[in-house]
Amino acid sequence: MSTHVNLVNVRPVPGGVRVPSVTITVRNVAYTMPVLAYQVSGSTVVFPGLEGDEPNAIRVRFDRWRVARDCDPWRELPLDFPDMGTAVKAAMEFESTPGVSWDSCDEDLGAWLVGYVERHRARAGGDR
């Protein structure tokens, strides 16, 4: 084993701990379970995609990651990233961008994401 990543579902917060959860439906049964997340900094986390995998399973997708704020209210950047490293870099870039934060309106978050995608396409040599 060359790399070990600890995905946790308990994070210390002032006054106690926080256990974020997600609800996934499989065969018409809703399961609420802890989100396995990697803390980037502060309340910003990245986590693998979770989905109901019919007929009897919940699939953890390590090929689809999200960036989120792990506090009330839980808030995600509405874009899937192809791996954990890319999601962490996006989270760090988001946090270091002046004028945008987790408290920004949906339109500002969307504009940041459009700019992020355009910058990374240009770095990669064009459309992908």
Side-chain angles (χ1 to χ4, degrees):
M1 177 174 58
S2 61
T3 302
H4 176 87
V5 175
N6 189 22
L7 299 175
V8 297
N9 58 6
V10 176
R11 190 170 65 79
V13 294
V17 296
R18 176 168 167 73
V19 181
S21 62
V22 64
T23 301
I24 300 170
T25 301
V26 176
R27 295 181 75 187
N28 295 320
V29 177
Y31 296 90
T32 299
M33 57 186 278
V35 172
L36 301 175
Y38 175 80
Q39 184 176 1
V40 177
S41 69
S43 63
T44 300
V45 299
V46 298
F47 63 98
L50 296 169
E51 62 187 29
D53 187 17
E54 298 293 337
N56 298 311
I58 294 173
R59 180 182 303 247
V60 179
R61 299 278 309 263
F62 291 106
D63 62 342
R64 195 178 82 210
W65 289 76
R66 283 278 175 112
V67 176
R69 175 180 65 182
D70 176 19
C71 63
D72 290 324
W74 174 272
R75 193 162 187 202
E76 297 177 24
L77 294 180
L79 180 67
D80 290 332
F81 297 92
D83 56 60
M84 181 183 170
T86 303
V88 168
K89 288 176 186 172
M92 291 169 41
E93 188 173 323
F94 175 78
E95 288 184 333
S96 68
T97 303
V100 68
S101 73
W102 288 114
D103 295 322
S104 297
C105 65
D106 290 343
E107 292 77 19
D108 289 345
L109 289 183
W112 182 86
L113 281 169
V114 168
Y116 172 85
V117 169
E118 288 174 353
R119 285 188 303 278
H120 288 271
R121 280 187 180 160
R123 288 179 198 154
D127 259 354
R128 288 189 166 234

